[in-house]
Amino acid sequence: MQNSNEIKTPAFIADCHLGKLAKYLRLIGLDTLYFPQIDDDVLIDLANAEKRVILTRDKALYERKKADCFYLESMQTEEQLREIITTFKLKDSNSSFSRCIVCNEPLSPVDKDVIAHRIPPKVLKYFSHFEICKKCDRIYWHGDHYKRMKIFLEGVFKSV
């Protein structure tokens, strides 16, 4: 049960022009839906049904006021992240690398032996911690890409 003093982290739905932003929001652990193509009315209905905030750069969609909607001023992904973190007061709610960047599902730890047949030998040799998305079956580990993304996200959070 949620304490009445706690602020609930919002769930988002990014409009079809914000795919890269959706990926980065998932990287910082935020529940973010994204569809490469979706009709505005369907987007609005889904946002209302699931109590999600629509993220958009589409003024016409924003001005319809038929759902909770946030208009992003910037066209740059890094700046959009800062806008969202600042506006929704998310600086202290960072749970990075806890969601699948492809399908938004929470990640689960998985034993190395269970997935060894799917991992490159060099990765098996140097890494022991793995996570898996139970929905799309994608496997994650803390390799070079993870390190680059971590540095990027640390920079974003330090600048807000």
Side-chain angles (χ1 to χ4, degrees), residues 20-42:
K20 189 173 180 182
L21 175 64
K23 173 184 154 184
Y24 279 101
L25 290 171
R26 291 170 180 171
L27 273 174
I28 62 175
L30 297 172
D31 181 358
T32 307
L33 295 181
Y34 169 75
F35 305 94
Q37 294 181 329
I38 188 168
D39 180 77
D40 284 354
D41 290 331
V42 175

mmCIF file with all atom_site columns, all heavy atoms in Angstrom, residues 20-42:
data_model
loop_
_atom_site.group_PDB
_atom_site.id
_atom_site.type_symbol
_atom_site.label_atom_id
_atom_site.label_alt_id
_atom_site.label_comp_id
_atom_site.label_asym_id
_atom_site.label_entity_id
_atom_site.label_seq_id
_atom_site.pdbx_PDB_ins_code
_atom_site.Cartn_x
_atom_site.Cartn_y
_atom_site.Cartn_z
_atom_site.occupancy
_atom_site.B_iso_or_equiv
_atom_site.pdbx_formal_charge
_atom_site.auth_seq_id
_atom_site.auth_comp_id
_atom_site.auth_asym_id
_atom_site.auth_atom_id
_atom_site.pdbx_PDB_model_num
ATOM 1   N N   . LYS A 1 20 ? 13.308 7.404  -29.453 1.00 0.00 ? 20 LYS A N   1
ATOM 2   C CA  . LYS A 1 20 ? 14.607 7.448  -28.783 1.00 0.00 ? 20 LYS A CA  1
ATOM 3   C C   . LYS A 1 20 ? 14.429 7.882  -27.323 1.00 0.00 ? 20 LYS A C   1
ATOM 4   O O   . LYS A 1 20 ? 15.040 7.317  -26.414 1.00 0.00 ? 20 LYS A O   1
ATOM 5   C CB  . LYS A 1 20 ? 15.550 8.396  -29.519 1.00 0.00 ? 20 LYS A CB  1
ATOM 6   C CG  . LYS A 1 20 ? 16.970 8.353  -29.025 1.00 0.00 ? 20 LYS A CG  1
ATOM 7   C CD  . LYS A 1 20 ? 17.868 9.191  -29.925 1.00 0.00 ? 20 LYS A CD  1
ATOM 8   C CE  . LYS A 1 20 ? 19.305 9.157  -29.453 1.00 0.00 ? 20 LYS A CE  1
ATOM 9   N NZ  . LYS A 1 20 ? 20.175 9.997  -30.278 1.00 0.00 ? 20 LYS A NZ  1
ATOM 10  N N   . LEU A 1 21 ? 13.565 8.858  -27.094 1.00 0.00 ? 21 LEU A N   1
ATOM 11  C CA  . LEU A 1 21 ? 13.281 9.305  -25.732 1.00 0.00 ? 21 LEU A CA  1
ATOM 12  C C   . LEU A 1 21 ? 12.683 8.162  -24.909 1.00 0.00 ? 21 LEU A C   1
ATOM 13  O O   . LEU A 1 21 ? 13.066 7.952  -23.753 1.00 0.00 ? 21 LEU A O   1
ATOM 14  C CB  . LEU A 1 21 ? 12.335 10.497 -25.746 1.00 0.00 ? 21 LEU A CB  1
ATOM 15  C CG  . LEU A 1 21 ? 11.879 10.984 -24.367 1.00 0.00 ? 21 LEU A CG  1
ATOM 16  C CD1 . LEU A 1 21 ? 13.054 11.510 -23.545 1.00 0.00 ? 21 LEU A CD1 1
ATOM 17  C CD2 . LEU A 1 21 ? 10.796 12.050 -24.519 1.00 0.00 ? 21 LEU A CD2 1
ATOM 18  N N   . ALA A 1 22 ? 11.755 7.410  -25.493 1.00 0.00 ? 22 ALA A N   1
ATOM 19  C CA  . ALA A 1 22 ? 11.132 6.284  -24.785 1.00 0.00 ? 22 ALA A CA  1
ATOM 20  C C   . ALA A 1 22 ? 12.200 5.292  -24.333 1.00 0.00 ? 22 ALA A C   1
ATOM 21  O O   . ALA A 1 22 ? 12.169 4.803  -23.196 1.00 0.00 ? 22 ALA A O   1
ATOM 22  C CB  . ALA A 1 22 ? 10.102 5.598  -25.673 1.00 0.00 ? 22 ALA A CB  1
ATOM 23  N N   . LYS A 1 23 ? 13.155 5.006  -25.196 1.00 0.00 ? 23 LYS A N   1
ATOM 24  C CA  . LYS A 1 23 ? 14.255 4.083  -24.852 1.00 0.00 ? 23 LYS A CA  1
ATOM 25  C C   . LYS A 1 23 ? 15.036 4.608  -23.648 1.00 0.00 ? 23 LYS A C   1
ATOM 26  O O   . LYS A 1 23 ? 15.308 3.870  -22.702 1.00 0.00 ? 23 LYS A O   1
ATOM 27  C CB  . LYS A 1 23 ? 15.179 3.923  -26.054 1.00 0.00 ? 23 LYS A CB  1
ATOM 28  C CG  . LYS A 1 23 ? 16.421 3.135  -25.781 1.00 0.00 ? 23 LYS A CG  1
ATOM 29  C CD  . LYS A 1 23 ? 17.308 3.114  -27.021 1.00 0.00 ? 23 LYS A CD  1
ATOM 30  C CE  . LYS A 1 23 ? 18.754 2.922  -26.636 1.00 0.00 ? 23 LYS A CE  1
ATOM 31  N NZ  . LYS A 1 23 ? 19.663 2.982  -27.770 1.00 0.00 ? 23 LYS A NZ  1
ATOM 32  N N   . TYR A 1 24 ? 15.355 5.892  -23.652 1.00 0.00 ? 24 TYR A N   1
ATOM 33  C CA  . TYR A 1 24 ? 16.119 6.467  -22.544 1.00 0.00 ? 24 TYR A CA  1
ATOM 34  C C   . TYR A 1 24 ? 15.300 6.526  -21.257 1.00 0.00 ? 24 TYR A C   1
ATOM 35  O O   . TYR A 1 24 ? 15.842 6.326  -20.163 1.00 0.00 ? 24 TYR A O   1
ATOM 36  C CB  . TYR A 1 24 ? 16.664 7.848  -22.905 1.00 0.00 ? 24 TYR A CB  1
ATOM 37  C CG  . TYR A 1 24 ? 17.916 7.753  -23.736 1.00 0.00 ? 24 TYR A CG  1
ATOM 38  C CD1 . TYR A 1 24 ? 17.876 7.938  -25.113 1.00 0.00 ? 24 TYR A CD1 1
ATOM 39  C CD2 . TYR A 1 24 ? 19.135 7.445  -23.157 1.00 0.00 ? 24 TYR A CD2 1
ATOM 40  C CE1 . TYR A 1 24 ? 19.018 7.841  -25.883 1.00 0.00 ? 24 TYR A CE1 1
ATOM 41  C CE2 . TYR A 1 24 ? 20.288 7.342  -23.909 1.00 0.00 ? 24 TYR A CE2 1
ATOM 42  C CZ  . TYR A 1 24 ? 20.221 7.542  -25.276 1.00 0.00 ? 24 TYR A CZ  1
ATOM 43  O OH  . TYR A 1 24 ? 21.363 7.430  -26.034 1.00 0.00 ? 24 TYR A OH  1
ATOM 44  N N   . LEU A 1 25 ? 14.014 6.783  -21.354 1.00 0.00 ? 25 LEU A N   1
ATOM 45  C CA  . LEU A 1 25 ? 13.169 6.768  -20.158 1.00 0.00 ? 25 LEU A CA  1
ATOM 46  C C   . LEU A 1 25 ? 13.127 5.366  -19.563 1.00 0.00 ? 25 LEU A C   1
ATOM 47  O O   . LEU A 1 25 ? 13.167 5.197  -18.341 1.00 0.00 ? 25 LEU A O   1
ATOM 48  C CB  . LEU A 1 25 ? 11.766 7.273  -20.488 1.00 0.00 ? 25 LEU A CB  1
ATOM 49  C CG  . LEU A 1 25 ? 11.671 8.768  -20.801 1.00 0.00 ? 25 LEU A CG  1
ATOM 50  C CD1 . LEU A 1 25 ? 10.290 9.118  -21.330 1.00 0.00 ? 25 LEU A CD1 1
ATOM 51  C CD2 . LEU A 1 25 ? 12.027 9.614  -19.592 1.00 0.00 ? 25 LEU A CD2 1
ATOM 52  N N   . ARG A 1 26 ? 13.055 4.361  -20.409 1.00 0.00 ? 26 ARG A N   1
ATOM 53  C CA  . ARG A 1 26 ? 13.102 2.978  -19.928 1.00 0.00 ? 26 ARG A CA  1
ATOM 54  C C   . ARG A 1 26 ? 14.450 2.686  -19.285 1.00 0.00 ? 26 ARG A C   1
ATOM 55  O O   . ARG A 1 26 ? 14.528 1.982  -18.280 1.00 0.00 ? 26 ARG A O   1
ATOM 56  C CB  . ARG A 1 26 ? 12.836 2.013  -21.084 1.00 0.00 ? 26 ARG A CB  1
ATOM 57  C CG  . ARG A 1 26 ? 11.417 2.070  -21.585 1.00 0.00 ? 26 ARG A CG  1
ATOM 58  C CD  . ARG A 1 26 ? 11.247 1.289  -22.859 1.00 0.00 ? 26 ARG A CD  1
ATOM 59  N NE  . ARG A 1 26 ? 9.871  1.344  -23.340 1.00 0.00 ? 26 ARG A NE  1
ATOM 60  C CZ  . ARG A 1 26 ? 9.486  0.887  -24.510 1.00 0.00 ? 26 ARG A CZ  1
ATOM 61  N NH1 . ARG A 1 26 ? 10.359 0.331  -25.338 1.00 0.00 ? 26 ARG A NH1 1
ATOM 62  N NH2 . ARG A 1 26 ? 8.217  0.972  -24.873 1.00 0.00 ? 26 ARG A NH2 1
ATOM 63  N N   . LEU A 1 27 ? 15.522 3.228  -19.866 1.00 0.00 ? 27 LEU A N   1
ATOM 64  C CA  . LEU A 1 27 ? 16.857 3.042  -19.290 1.00 0.00 ? 27 LEU A CA  1
ATOM 65  C C   . LEU A 1 27 ? 16.938 3.570  -17.866 1.00 0.00 ? 27 LEU A C   1
ATOM 66  O O   . LEU A 1 27 ? 17.645 3.001  -17.029 1.00 0.00 ? 27 LEU A O   1
ATOM 67  C CB  . LEU A 1 27 ? 17.926 3.741  -20.135 1.00 0.00 ? 27 LEU A CB  1
ATOM 68  C CG  . LEU A 1 27 ? 18.524 2.956  -21.282 1.00 0.00 ? 27 LEU A CG  1
ATOM 69  C CD1 . LEU A 1 27 ? 19.454 3.841  -22.113 1.00 0.00 ? 27 LEU A CD1 1
ATOM 70  C CD2 . LEU A 1 27 ? 19.267 1.727  -20.796 1.00 0.00 ? 27 LEU A CD2 1
ATOM 71  N N   . ILE A 1 28 ? 16.234 4.664  -17.578 1.00 0.00 ? 28 ILE A N   1
ATOM 72  C CA  . ILE A 1 28 ? 16.272 5.188  -16.216 1.00 0.00 ? 28 ILE A CA  1
ATOM 73  C C   . ILE A 1 28 ? 15.173 4.580  -15.340 1.00 0.00 ? 28 ILE A C   1
ATOM 74  O O   . ILE A 1 28 ? 14.949 5.022  -14.222 1.00 0.00 ? 28 ILE A O   1
ATOM 75  C CB  . ILE A 1 28 ? 16.269 6.731  -16.159 1.00 0.00 ? 28 ILE A CB  1
ATOM 76  C CG1 . ILE A 1 28 ? 15.022 7.345  -16.763 1.00 0.00 ? 28 ILE A CG1 1
ATOM 77  C CG2 . ILE A 1 28 ? 17.522 7.289  -16.789 1.00 0.00 ? 28 ILE A CG2 1
ATOM 78  C CD1 . ILE A 1 28 ? 14.945 8.868  -16.614 1.00 0.00 ? 28 ILE A CD1 1
ATOM 79  N N   . GLY A 1 29 ? 14.519 3.549  -15.852 1.00 0.00 ? 29 GLY A N   1
ATOM 80  C CA  . GLY A 1 29 ? 13.584 2.771  -15.059 1.00 0.00 ? 29 GLY A CA  1
ATOM 81  C C   . GLY A 1 29 ? 12.156 3.261  -15.066 1.00 0.00 ? 29 GLY A C   1
ATOM 82  O O   . GLY A 1 29 ? 11.349 2.826  -14.243 1.00 0.00 ? 29 GLY A O   1
ATOM 83  N N   . LEU A 1 30 ? 11.825 4.159  -15.994 1.00 0.00 ? 30 LEU A N   1
ATOM 84  C CA  . LEU A 1 30 ? 10.468 4.698  -16.032 1.00 0.00 ? 30 LEU A CA  1
ATOM 85  C C   . LEU A 1 30 ? 9.568  3.892  -16.969 1.00 0.00 ? 30 LEU A C   1
ATOM 86  O O   . LEU A 1 30 ? 9.934  3.611  -18.112 1.00 0.00 ? 30 LEU A O   1
ATOM 87  C CB  . LEU A 1 30 ? 10.500 6.164  -16.472 1.00 0.00 ? 30 LEU A CB  1
ATOM 88  C CG  . LEU A 1 30 ? 11.246 7.091  -15.508 1.00 0.00 ? 30 LEU A CG  1
ATOM 89  C CD1 . LEU A 1 30 ? 11.397 8.481  -16.108 1.00 0.00 ? 30 LEU A CD1 1
ATOM 90  C CD2 . LEU A 1 30 ? 10.540 7.159  -14.164 1.00 0.00 ? 30 LEU A CD2 1
ATOM 91  N N   . ASP A 1 31 ? 8.412  3.543  -16.478 1.00 0.00 ? 31 ASP A N   1
ATOM 92  C CA  . ASP A 1 31 ? 7.414  2.792  -17.239 1.00 0.00 ? 31 ASP A CA  1
ATOM 93  C C   . ASP A 1 31 ? 6.948  3.671  -18.401 1.00 0.00 ? 31 ASP A C   1
ATOM 94  O O   . ASP A 1 31 ? 6.219  4.641  -18.199 1.00 0.00 ? 31 ASP A O   1
ATOM 95  C CB  . ASP A 1 31 ? 6.261  2.441  -16.307 1.00 0.00 ? 31 ASP A CB  1
ATOM 96  C CG  . ASP A 1 31 ? 5.156  1.648  -16.967 1.00 0.00 ? 31 ASP A CG  1
ATOM 97  O OD1 . ASP A 1 31 ? 5.233  1.378  -18.189 1.00 0.00 ? 31 ASP A OD1 1
ATOM 98  O OD2 . ASP A 1 31 ? 4.188  1.298  -16.266 1.00 0.00 ? 31 ASP A OD2 1
ATOM 99  N N   . THR A 1 32 ? 7.394  3.322  -19.611 1.00 0.00 ? 32 THR A N   1
ATOM 100 C CA  . THR A 1 32 ? 7.117  4.156  -20.782 1.00 0.00 ? 32 THR A CA  1
ATOM 101 C C   . THR A 1 32 ? 6.698  3.307  -21.970 1.00 0.00 ? 32 THR A C   1
ATOM 102 O O   . THR A 1 32 ? 7.484  2.522  -22.492 1.00 0.00 ? 32 THR A O   1
ATOM 103 C CB  . THR A 1 32 ? 8.371  4.975  -21.173 1.00 0.00 ? 32 THR A CB  1
ATOM 104 O OG1 . THR A 1 32 ? 8.839  5.682  -20.027 1.00 0.00 ? 32 THR A OG1 1
ATOM 105 C CG2 . THR A 1 32 ? 8.063  5.947  -22.293 1.00 0.00 ? 32 THR A CG2 1
ATOM 106 N N   . LEU A 1 33 ? 5.463  3.479  -22.392 1.00 0.00 ? 33 LEU A N   1
ATOM 107 C CA  . LEU A 1 33 ? 4.985  2.798  -23.591 1.00 0.00 ? 33 LEU A CA  1
ATOM 108 C C   . LEU A 1 33 ? 5.384  3.604  -24.817 1.00 0.00 ? 33 LEU A C   1
ATOM 109 O O   . LEU A 1 33 ? 5.485  4.832  -24.759 1.00 0.00 ? 33 LEU A O   1
ATOM 110 C CB  . LEU A 1 33 ? 3.470  2.646  -23.565 1.00 0.00 ? 33 LEU A CB  1
ATOM 111 C CG  . LEU A 1 33 ? 2.882  1.761  -22.478 1.00 0.00 ? 33 LEU A CG  1
ATOM 112 C CD1 . LEU A 1 33 ? 1.359  1.703  -22.629 1.00 0.00 ? 33 LEU A CD1 1
ATOM 113 C CD2 . LEU A 1 33 ? 3.483  0.371  -22.503 1.00 0.00 ? 33 LEU A CD2 1
ATOM 114 N N   . TYR A 1 34 ? 5.567  2.900  -25.915 1.00 0.00 ? 34 TYR A N   1
ATOM 115 C CA  . TYR A 1 34 ? 5.882  3.563  -27.185 1.00 0.00 ? 34 TYR A CA  1
ATOM 116 C C   . TYR A 1 34 ? 5.430  2.665  -28.323 1.00 0.00 ? 34 TYR A C   1
ATOM 117 O O   . TYR A 1 34 ? 5.653  1.457  -28.305 1.00 0.00 ? 34 TYR A O   1
ATOM 118 C CB  . TYR A 1 34 ? 7.391  3.825  -27.301 1.00 0.00 ? 34 TYR A CB  1
ATOM 119 C CG  . TYR A 1 34 ? 7.780  4.263  -28.699 1.00 0.00 ? 34 TYR A CG  1
ATOM 120 C CD1 . TYR A 1 34 ? 7.495  5.552  -29.124 1.00 0.00 ? 34 TYR A CD1 1
ATOM 121 C CD2 . TYR A 1 34 ? 8.370  3.378  -29.581 1.00 0.00 ? 34 TYR A CD2 1
ATOM 122 C CE1 . TYR A 1 34 ? 7.812  5.954  -30.423 1.00 0.00 ? 34 TYR A CE1 1
ATOM 123 C CE2 . TYR A 1 34 ? 8.692  3.765  -30.870 1.00 0.00 ? 34 TYR A CE2 1
ATOM 124 C CZ  . TYR A 1 34 ? 8.411  5.044  -31.293 1.00 0.00 ? 34 TYR A CZ  1
ATOM 125 O OH  . TYR A 1 34 ? 8.711  5.431  -32.557 1.00 0.00 ? 34 TYR A OH  1
ATOM 126 N N   . PHE A 1 35 ? 4.790  3.275  -29.307 1.00 0.00 ? 35 PHE A N   1
ATOM 127 C CA  . PHE A 1 35 ? 4.367  2.570  -30.503 1.00 0.00 ? 35 PHE A CA  1
ATOM 128 C C   . PHE A 1 35 ? 4.833  3.381  -31.709 1.00 0.00 ? 35 PHE A C   1
ATOM 129 O O   . PHE A 1 35 ? 4.527  4.570  -31.793 1.00 0.00 ? 35 PHE A O   1
ATOM 130 C CB  . PHE A 1 35 ? 2.839  2.434  -30.535 1.00 0.00 ? 35 PHE A CB  1
ATOM 131 C CG  . PHE A 1 35 ? 2.281  1.786  -29.299 1.00 0.00 ? 35 PHE A CG  1
ATOM 132 C CD1 . PHE A 1 35 ? 1.830  2.559  -28.231 1.00 0.00 ? 35 PHE A CD1 1
ATOM 133 C CD2 . PHE A 1 35 ? 2.230  0.407  -29.192 1.00 0.00 ? 35 PHE A CD2 1
ATOM 134 C CE1 . PHE A 1 35 ? 1.330  1.971  -27.086 1.00 0.00 ? 35 PHE A CE1 1
ATOM 135 C CE2 . PHE A 1 35 ? 1.729  -0.191 -28.041 1.00 0.00 ? 35 PHE A CE2 1
ATOM 136 C CZ  . PHE A 1 35 ? 1.277  0.591  -26.991 1.00 0.00 ? 35 PHE A CZ  1
ATOM 137 N N   . PRO A 1 36 ? 5.565  2.765  -32.651 1.00 0.00 ? 36 PRO A N   1
ATOM 138 C CA  . PRO A 1 36 ? 6.049  3.521  -33.817 1.00 0.00 ? 36 PRO A CA  1
ATOM 139 C C   . PRO A 1 36 ? 4.924  4.179  -34.616 1.00 0.00 ? 36 PRO A C   1
ATOM 140 O O   . PRO A 1 36 ? 5.119  5.220  -35.213 1.00 0.00 ? 36 PRO A O   1
ATOM 141 C CB  . PRO A 1 36 ? 6.764  2.473  -34.659 1.00 0.00 ? 36 PRO A CB  1
ATOM 142 C CG  . PRO A 1 36 ? 7.032  1.334  -33.752 1.00 0.00 ? 36 PRO A CG  1
ATOM 143 C CD  . PRO A 1 36 ? 5.990  1.381  -32.674 1.00 0.00 ? 36 PRO A CD  1
ATOM 144 N N   . GLN A 1 37 ? 3.755  3.547  -34.595 1.00 0.00 ? 37 GLN A N   1
ATOM 145 C CA  . GLN A 1 37 ? 2.581  4.128  -35.245 1.00 0.00 ? 37 GLN A CA  1
ATOM 146 C C   . GLN A 1 37 ? 1.387  3.909  -34.332 1.00 0.00 ? 37 GLN A C   1
ATOM 147 O O   . GLN A 1 37 ? 1.126  2.791  -33.899 1.00 0.00 ? 37 GLN A O   1
ATOM 148 C CB  . GLN A 1 37 ? 2.311  3.459  -36.595 1.00 0.00 ? 37 GLN A CB  1
ATOM 149 C CG  . GLN A 1 37 ? 3.393  3.704  -37.617 1.00 0.00 ? 37 GLN A CG  1
ATOM 150 C CD  . GLN A 1 37 ? 3.061  3.034  -38.942 1.00 0.00 ? 37 GLN A CD  1
ATOM 151 O OE1 . GLN A 1 37 ? 2.418  2.003  -38.984 1.00 0.00 ? 37 GLN A OE1 1
ATOM 152 N NE2 . GLN A 1 37 ? 3.510  3.645  -40.025 1.00 0.00 ? 37 GLN A NE2 1
ATOM 153 N N   . ILE A 1 38 ? 0.697  5.006  -34.038 1.00 0.00 ? 38 ILE A N   1
ATOM 154 C CA  . ILE A 1 38 ? -0.514 4.902  -33.226 1.00 0.00 ? 38 ILE A CA  1
ATOM 155 C C   . ILE A 1 38 ? -1.381 6.126  -33.515 1.00 0.00 ? 38 ILE A C   1
ATOM 156 O O   . ILE A 1 38 ? -0.888 7.251  -33.599 1.00 0.00 ? 38 ILE A O   1
ATOM 157 C CB  . ILE A 1 38 ? -0.186 4.784  -31.709 1.00 0.00 ? 38 ILE A CB  1
ATOM 158 C CG1 . ILE A 1 38 ? -1.443 4.479  -30.907 1.00 0.00 ? 38 ILE A CG1 1
ATOM 159 C CG2 . ILE A 1 38 ? 0.559  6.000  -31.207 1.00 0.00 ? 38 ILE A CG2 1
ATOM 160 C CD1 . ILE A 1 38 ? -1.170 4.061  -29.452 1.00 0.00 ? 38 ILE A CD1 1
ATOM 161 N N   . ASP A 1 39 ? -2.646 5.899  -33.698 1.00 0.00 ? 39 ASP A N   1
ATOM 162 C CA  . ASP A 1 39 ? -3.602 6.977  -33.934 1.00 0.00 ? 39 ASP A CA  1
ATOM 163 C C   . ASP A 1 39 ? -3.734 7.813  -32.669 1.00 0.00 ? 39 ASP A C   1
ATOM 164 O O   . ASP A 1 39 ? -3.741 7.271  -31.553 1.00 0.00 ? 39 ASP A O   1
ATOM 165 C CB  . ASP A 1 39 ? -4.951 6.352  -34.316 1.00 0.00 ? 39 ASP A CB  1
ATOM 166 C CG  . ASP A 1 39 ? -6.005 7.400  -34.585 1.00 0.00 ? 39 ASP A CG  1
ATOM 167 O OD1 . ASP A 1 39 ? -5.967 8.008  -35.669 1.00 0.00 ? 39 ASP A OD1 1
ATOM 168 O OD2 . ASP A 1 39 ? -6.850 7.625  -33.681 1.00 0.00 ? 39 ASP A OD2 1
ATOM 169 N N   . ASP A 1 40 ? -3.845 9.118  -32.812 1.00 0.00 ? 40 ASP A N   1
ATOM 170 C CA  . ASP A 1 40 ? -3.942 10.008 -31.648 1.00 0.00 ? 40 ASP A CA  1
ATOM 171 C C   . ASP A 1 40 ? -5.097 9.633  -30.722 1.00 0.00 ? 40 ASP A C   1
ATOM 172 O O   . ASP A 1 40 ? -4.962 9.673  -29.500 1.00 0.00 ? 40 ASP A O   1
ATOM 173 C CB  . ASP A 1 40 ? -4.092 11.466 -32.084 1.00 0.00 ? 40 ASP A CB  1
ATOM 174 C CG  . ASP A 1 40 ? -2.785 12.070 -32.562 1.00 0.00 ? 40 ASP A CG  1
ATOM 175 O OD1 . ASP A 1 40 ? -1.728 11.393 -32.459 1.00 0.00 ? 40 ASP A OD1 1
ATOM 176 O OD2 . ASP A 1 40 ? -2.810 13.227 -33.036 1.00 0.00 ? 40 ASP A OD2 1
ATOM 177 N N   . ASP A 1 41 ? -6.241 9.257  -31.278 1.00 0.00 ? 41 ASP A N   1
ATOM 178 C CA  . ASP A 1 41 ? -7.386 8.895  -30.437 1.00 0.00 ? 41 ASP A CA  1
ATOM 179 C C   . ASP A 1 41 ? -7.103 7.625  -29.634 1.00 0.00 ? 41 ASP A C   1
ATOM 180 O O   . ASP A 1 41 ? -7.492 7.526  -28.464 1.00 0.00 ? 41 ASP A O   1
ATOM 181 C CB  . ASP A 1 41 ? -8.652 8.709  -31.285 1.00 0.00 ? 41 ASP A CB  1
ATOM 182 C CG  . ASP A 1 41 ? -9.162 10.030 -31.843 1.00 0.00 ? 41 ASP A CG  1
ATOM 183 O OD1 . ASP A 1 41 ? -8.947 11.084 -31.199 1.00 0.00 ? 41 ASP A OD1 1
ATOM 184 O OD2 . ASP A 1 41 ? -9.770 10.018 -32.930 1.00 0.00 ? 41 ASP A OD2 1
ATOM 185 N N   . VAL A 1 42 ? -6.415 6.672  -30.234 1.00 0.00 ? 42 VAL A N   1
ATOM 186 C CA  . VAL A 1 42 ? -6.038 5.436  -29.536 1.00 0.00 ? 42 VAL A CA  1
ATOM 187 C C   . VAL A 1 42 ? -5.023 5.763  -28.438 1.00 0.00 ? 42 VAL A C   1
ATOM 188 O O   . VAL A 1 42 ? -5.108 5.248  -27.313 1.00 0.00 ? 42 VAL A O   1
ATOM 189 C CB  . VAL A 1 42 ? -5.475 4.388  -30.523 1.00 0.00 ? 42 VAL A CB  1
ATOM 190 C CG1 . VAL A 1 42 ? -4.963 3.156  -29.790 1.00 0.00 ? 42 VAL A CG1 1
ATOM 191 C CG2 . VAL A 1 42 ? -6.537 4.003  -31.559 1.00 0.00 ? 42 VAL A CG2 1
#
